[in-house]
Amino acid sequence: MHDFSQNVYRAVQKIPRGKVSNYGCIAFLAGKPRAARGVGFVLHRNPDPERIPCHRVVFKDGSLCKGYVFGGPDVQRQKLLEEGVAFLPDGRVDMETCGWYGKEE
DNA sequence: TGTGTGACGATCG
DNA sequence: GCGATCGCCACAC
């Protein structure tokens, strides 16, 4: 079975509200610490956008992808702000405060 | 059926 | 410290 993709979806669903994760983290949880690219593509093909909050997944730097699908990085940023995610003046997510690594909860 | 590409990240040189 | 290459996944051509 596609354990990797299934695990990726499961890990993303585990991300608590108000927190964000990164592709590397999801890949690690999926068992493929170097499959960040695969995670990105799997999320891009997000079969259940309502069930999988892929907008909570950002770069390890906390920056959002430039070619987003929701309508633009502004939309993703707004969604995260609505959830209480803190953003830095650089326009990146504050991974120091809202970074989720899947170890807690 | 096989190759190339795309929301990335880490490691090698 | 910076640059280049590899690894991983699924899908389109």
Side-chain angles (χ1 to χ4, degrees):
Chain A
M1 297 295 285
H2 303 283
D3 292 327
F4 179 75
S5 58
Q6 293 299 314
N7 204 356
V8 169
Y9 297 137
R10 177 186 254 167
V12 175
Q13 291 174 40
K14 286 170 61 181
I15 300 173
R17 178 177 169 282
K19 298 257 181 170
V20 295
S21 188
N22 51 74
Y23 299 100
C25 181
I26 299 301
F28 183 81
L29 294 174
K32 309 289 185 185
R34 296 181 180 171
R37 199 164 72 176
V39 173
F41 206 81
V42 170
L43 292 179
H44 185 191
R45 291 293 161 182
N46 189 349
D48 295 311
E50 296 181 7
R51 184 174 173 182
I52 304 170
C54 51
H55 61 271
R56 290 180 186 163
V57 184
V58 299
F59 286 142
K60 191 173 182 291
D61 293 343
S63 54
L64 307 175
C65 61
K66 44 192 171 185
Y68 207 53
V69 190
F70 293 106
D74 293 332
V75 177
Q76 185 179 12
R77 187 179 69 182
Q78 185 63 36
K79 289 169 80 85
L80 294 173
L81 287 171
E82 289 292 316
E83 295 186 349
V85 176
F87 271 77
L88 297 173
D90 294 351
R92 296 185 293 187
V93 178
D94 187 351
M95 300 301 285
E96 297 295 325
T97 302
C98 301
W100 183 77
Y101 294 87
K103 290 187 175 185
E104 300 176 6
E105 296 185 68

